[in-house]
């Protein structure tokens, strides 16, 4: 059994973690020291992310300006790596989850995810300059 990093946690949220080519169903626990995801099928299979290792969290916003079910946790760069690790999660209560995360990591680190159109615009403006 995995030992939780948190001393106080919120109520568990049903969630899906998109890992590799598949997805894993489980529960999210958001606490005072870490963001944790526990697999429903195998409780010892867990993802534990301390708040210090999170660079920012991206919430996906739909065209109707509603919060989508998906959000992405972007981790800090480790060592000499140029890339940051991204962990994608999905939950019916994504709005509540993002609000609780905002309380722990700060308002400026919970951001709106870029859309495909904005990414293309950004690439085109870089090339013209």
């Amino acid at each position: 059994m995995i030992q939780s990093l948190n001393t106080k946690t919120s109520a568990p949220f049903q969630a899906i973690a998109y890992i590799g080519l598949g997805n894993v169903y489980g529960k999210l626990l958001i606490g005072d020291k870490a963001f944790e995801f526990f697999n429903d099928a195998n409780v010892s299979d867990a993802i534990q992310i301390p708040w210090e290792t999170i660079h920012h969290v991206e919430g996906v916003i739909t065209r109707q300006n509603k919060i989508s079910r998906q959000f992405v946790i972007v981790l800090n760069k480790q060592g000499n790596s140029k890339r940051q690790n991204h962990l994608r999660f999905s939950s019916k209560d994504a709005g509540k989850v993002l609000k609780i995360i905002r309380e722990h990591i700060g308002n400026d680190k919970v951001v709106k995810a870029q859309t495909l159109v904005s990414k293309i615009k950004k690439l085109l403006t870089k090339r013209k300059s």
Side-chain angles (χ1 to χ4, degrees), residues 72-121:
V72 178
I73 296 179
V74 180
L75 302 176
N76 291 328
K77 294 179 185 176
Q78 296 188 357
N80 294 333
S81 175
K82 293 183 180 181
R83 295 191 60 188
Q84 292 175 318
N85 291 328
H86 294 70
L87 299 171
R88 184 175 294 274
F89 295 93
S90 176
S91 175
K92 288 181 183 178
D93 301 316
K96 292 178 186 177
V97 170
L98 291 173
K99 284 181 183 179
I100 296 171
I101 290 173
R102 180 178 286 141
E103 292 173 6
H104 294 286
I105 65 172
N107 203 18
D108 57 333
K109 290 188 175 185
V110 179
V111 297
K112 179 180 171 182
Q114 285 186 339
T115 62
L116 181 63
V117 174
S118 65
K119 288 180 184 179
I120 293 171
K121 283 182 183 178

Side-chain angles (χ1 to χ4, degrees), residues 6 32 38 56 59-61 63-64 70-71 75 78 85 95 108 114 123-124:
N6 296 314
D32 57 343
F38 293 98
H56 68 275
V60 178
I61 306 296
R63 288 186 179 171
Q64 293 83 20
Q70 293 190 2
F71 58 95
L75 302 176
Q78 296 188 357
N85 291 328
D108 57 333
Q114 285 186 339
L123 285 172
L124 292 175

Side-chain angles (χ1 to χ4, degrees), residues 28-46:
L28 287 178
L29 287 175
I30 303 170
D32 57 343
K33 297 182 182 177
F35 176 92
E36 299 177 326
F37 175 83
F38 293 98
N39 187 347
D40 279 342
N42 184 5
V43 181
S44 63
D45 183 20

